[in-house]
Every structure is written in structure tokens, then in C-alpha cells.
Amino acid sequence: MRASDHAHATLRCDIIEWRLVPGDLLAEVEQSARLGVSRTPLREALSRLVAEGLAAPHSGRGVVVSAISLEAVADLFEVRLPLECAAVRLAVARNRPGAFAALAEEFAEAPRLIDGDDDGQKGYYALVSRLDQEIDAAAANPYLLQAQKPIRTHLARVRRLARDNPARLLASAREHEQIALALGAGNADLAEAAMRVHLHNSLHHLLSQPLATPSRTTGAASAAGATATTDPPPLVPNHLEEHHG
Amino acid sequence: MRASDHAHATLRCDIIEWRLVPGDLLAEVEQSARLGVSRTPLREALSRLVAEGLAAPHSGRGVVVSAISLEAVADLFEVRLPLECAAVRLAVARNRPGAFAALAEEFAEAPRLIDGDDDGQKGYYALVSRLDQEIDAAAANPYLLQAQKPIRTHLARVRRLARDNPARLLASAREHEQIALALGAGNADLAEAAMRVHLHNSLHHLLSQPLATPSRTTGAASAAGATATTDPPPLVPNHLEEHHG
DNA sequence: CGTCACCCCAATGTATACACCGATCCCGGC
DNA sequence: GCCGGGATCGGTGTATACATTGGGGTGACG
């Protein structure tokens, strides 16, 4: 793997998993030293992060981790809704056979996973991911994927703010099952309706969260060295309004 | 301006205006020599082009100008439709005063521009761009912009395949006027309907084009040197099926 | 004559050195 | 004591040198 890929993947993961929090400065020398790569591939990694929207230039001096907020969640879903609806409509229109019926059955049995151990929950998330991939493959539109990719990236970041609520997961499983059933039946209107229901409930769940401070998993301690010494105030309440730049 | 910005802007312009055609290899040494910058900023420019979808890695060795095709136009509009509809709905929902009424009047008088000289047509395109910007500002959703940006980039590239048809421009002006009127009146349903009509007609017009070979404006002759010597066959019919990679 | 393997080279990936720019801090003046 | 200007310094932007890898060409073998 290229060094720039490694740097990009690591930084991206650090940002999505809140080891790097909004506002953290991604200094080239510092990060290149931490990740063990030179500045050249690191610069390429930073460019990609900026293109993805995970980082933003900071007043002409370096790049900082971009802000994310509850307001941003609402904005995110305003774009996600039409895109996902278009995706399911296209998936039906393309009329690929697909494995939607099988996926629906798996969702029907998902409560076992959710009530199980941590691996079970991971398995459920994997199942959701498989449905997404199946929809993507059925829609077969590279531009749709290109538009959804940054949305999903930001969403992955926001999800870390939400506690895994078993009740919500069970409801989510039922909603996904309904989507998969409609897709399997080739009913575009129903699939879109089910998707709208699901997205509405997802957003509502996220917005009703108590805004738990992300746990900033230790592991990138050296990365946070510069900012940690300055003892930053609790960040989550802070950058709630600093978006939309 | 930074050298990387200059390189990116120039290459982007060359691709959109078909001076660089799909399949052309963007070699680092060759392009850095042509644009008078070093390889480092040129690499950053290429990274951005790849992120935008204007270029794509070529079997692990260099990047090539990405393909665009009639099939891609249809895919493009499949994504553009829900995004633009969402944009006008958000623009109305945000309930900003906006200058939509004034823009509608300008569109009503647009036939003068269209029937005029070349500057007049440029003025009409600028007017369309102003409406887009006004909608963007009213929608006020950075993620929507992020999703629309690559779509618009590809669209700008495709438009060069279409002849400027005065009749179509007149119809387009009326459609835009209707959109602006609906937005000015705060009627989201009507605005979306007008947008759907406009996009349908735009797509239909593009698809009915005789597929004119783009004029590959001379000016980047040195850039095309490597491929020009090999005398490439007419490219437009060729890359009609090579997309979706 | 076709095919396969090996070698050479060119282009990319990476590292590092240098230049320039903005930011910060200190000192002097008001 | 406060404000402004300049100097210093860290950091980014750029250029170039080096390593490495993949591809093409050529030659030999079947």
C-alpha cells in the first residue's frame, strides 16, 4: 500500500472515530512524524481529506478537522433523503434480480443479533452495510455513488455521537426489512416510502440524543500532544455553531 | 495564486473544454513541463481532478482523462433531478426573501440576449448561473453544494457536446423564468414541478444532439503531442461504452 | 512463427532541501 | 499603559534528487 493511502486511511479513521476532534490542527510536520511518512504523501492525504470535507483549510495556514454539529445532521439528512430515495427508485427501475428478498429475511431475524453480544451488533451493522451495497449495485449509477460518498462519510462521523440504543436498533431492523421487502417486490413507491420512514426515524433518533461527549479513544495521544497541552475546553458544545463556514 | 491552483484550474479547463479528451494520459513530467510547474504541485492538481471525477487512475500507472458518454448524461440527470428538486424545496423552506422575482423578470427579457450577439448569449449563461447561485444561497446547505458540485462539473463537460440551439435557449429561458417565479412566490411544489420540466427538456435536448465531435480547440497542442502523433481515432463514438469503470 | 521470459528504462512514489509567507512576540514610541 | 511596527521563527509551498515498480521491447526457445 502506498504511504499516502496509509496516511489518508489513518487520518480518516482518526477523524471519524473522534480521536481527532473538530478544530484540531493537522500540521504537516507533526502528522508526518506521527504516521511515519514524509510530508509529500501526507500532503496528498490531507488533500483527499479536504476533498471529502473531513478537513478544511484554516485561514491559509494548515488544515483543521472540520466541524460537525447537530445542525449539520439536519442538513445532512436533507441531502441524504432525496439521494437515498433516488437510489431505491433506480434500484427498482433497473430491475435487477438482486438478493433483496434474502436480505429481508435476514433483517427479520436481526433481533437475535441485536439482543446478542457485541459481535452480534457488529453483524447487524454489517447487514445494513450489505443492503446499502446491494442498493448501490442495483442503482448502478456512478454519479449517485459519488454524491452519496461524502454524505455517508459525514454520517459515519456523526453516528459516533449516538449511543447504540437496542430499542432503536430493533426498530431500525424492521424499517430496513420493509425497505428490502419493497425492493424485492419491485415496488418503487413503497420502497421510497419505507426509506422516508426510516430516514425520518433515524434523524429523529439522532436529534434526540443527549449529545454524549465522544470518548476520544486514546491511541493518538501523541497526535493530540500539541493541543492537549493547551487543555482545550469541551469541544462538542463549542462547535455546534461554528459550522457553515 | 499557488502553482497547484494554477495547474488544477488549467487542467480542469482543458478537460471541460475538450482540449484534453477522454483517454488522454496526464503524465506528470509532461504536464508539469507544459504548465511550467514542478511535479509536486502538479500531483496535487491531479489528485483534485481524480477527486472531482474528471480523471481516473489508469491501471496503476498515471491518470487519464475520464470518459464521458451519452449513457453518463442519463446517469447524471438521474442524480441531478433529485438534488435540484431538493435545492428548490429547501430554498423555499428557508423562506429567504431572495431576488427571485427580479431574476424572473430578467429571464422574461432574456430573449433579447439570446437573439443578440455572442456576448448576449454569454450574458444569458451568466443569468442562469446567477439563478443557480441564488438557489444555492437560499438552500444554505453545504452538503447539498458538495453533492451538486461534481454533478455540475460533469455537466459543464457534457454541455460542450451540445450545439447552442437558439430555440432551445428560448425555451430554457421560459423554463427558468417559471422556476424563478415559483421561488419568488414561495411555492415549493410549483418550483419543483418547473424544475422537473426544465431538467426533462434539458436532458431530452442533450440526448437528441447529433453528437457533434468537440472541436478540440487548438492551444494545448503541446499537451496532445504524445497522443496526436499516434493519430487517435475519433474519440466520441469510442468512449460511449467505456464508462462505468 | 508464436509465445514466454528477462532485461532495461521510464514514470511514478517518496524523501528532503530550500524559499517564501504569515503569525507571533518584543520593543519602542506615544 | 497601550498601540504599532519590525524582526524572528515556524510552517507551508515548491523544487529536485533518489528509489522502486511496472511496462514494453527484444531475444531465445518451443
Side-chain angles (χ1 to χ4, degrees), chain A:
Chain A
M1 181 188 286
R2 292 183 300 180
S4 59
D5 291 337
H6 169 72
H8 174 245
T10 304
L11 286 174
R12 180 189 158 91
C13 195
D14 285 343
I15 293 174
I16 288 179
E17 296 181 359
W18 291 82
R19 286 187 290 269
L20 292 171
V21 301
D24 276 359
L25 178 65
L26 299 175
E28 294 182 3
V29 284
E30 175 190 346
Q31 295 299 322
S32 63
R34 177 171 78 97
L35 301 177
V37 299
S38 183
R39 275 184 57 216
T40 306
L42 186 100
R43 280 178 65 84
E44 186 178 332
L46 290 181
S47 292
R48 288 194 238 173
L49 291 177
V50 171
E52 287 175 304
L54 289 177
H58 178 249
S59 71
R61 202 70 175 185
V63 300
V64 297
V65 177
S66 64
I68 196 81
S69 67
L70 272 189
E71 184 180 324
V73 180
D75 284 353
L76 220 41
F77 272 74
E78 284 174 346
V79 185
R80 192 187 177 200
L81 180 69
L83 287 177
E84 298 279 6
C85 288
V88 295
R89 284 200 165 276
L90 289 178
V92 170
R94 300 280 196 265
N95 200 21
R96 289 200 182 184
F100 293 117
L103 281 169
E105 288 183 17
E106 289 195 64
F107 273 109
E109 296 173 8
R112 293 185 200 168
L113 292 173
I114 296 170
D115 287 334
D117 55 354
D118 210 54
D119 280 350
Q121 293 204 357
K122 275 200 172 62
Y124 173 70
Y125 289 133
L127 181 58
V128 174
S129 179
R130 279 166 53 206
L131 177 61
D132 282 343
Q133 288 175 14
E134 197 66 33
I135 295 175
D136 291 343
N141 188 323
Y143 302 105
L144 181 61
L145 278 181
Q146 188 180 8
Q148 282 182 304
K149 192 173 167 184
I151 304 290
R152 289 179 177 170
T153 299
H154 290 296
L155 196 66
R157 212 174 151 205
V158 169
R159 280 217 183 95
R160 284 291 172 132
L161 290 176
R163 295 254 177 275
D164 291 339
N165 186 334
R168 171 64 199 141
L169 288 185
L170 286 173
S172 168
R174 286 194 300 271
E175 293 162 13
H176 279 112
E177 181 191 359
Q178 182 65 63
I179 294 171
L181 280 173
L183 287 170
N187 189 332
D189 288 335
L190 185 61
E192 179 180 336
M195 179 61 82
R196 295 183 100 95
V197 167
H198 171 60
L199 292 183
H200 171 87
N201 290 339
S202 285
L203 176 60
H204 191 77
H205 173 68
L206 282 174
L207 290 182
S208 68
Q209 288 289 309
L211 248 191
T213 303
S215 58
R216 188 170 191 151
T217 320
T218 52
S222 61
T227 52
T229 55
T230 61
D231 190 30
L235 273 171
V236 172
N238 262 8
H239 52 76
L240 278 180
E241 292 86 16
E242 77 187 32
H243 197 67
H244 278 283

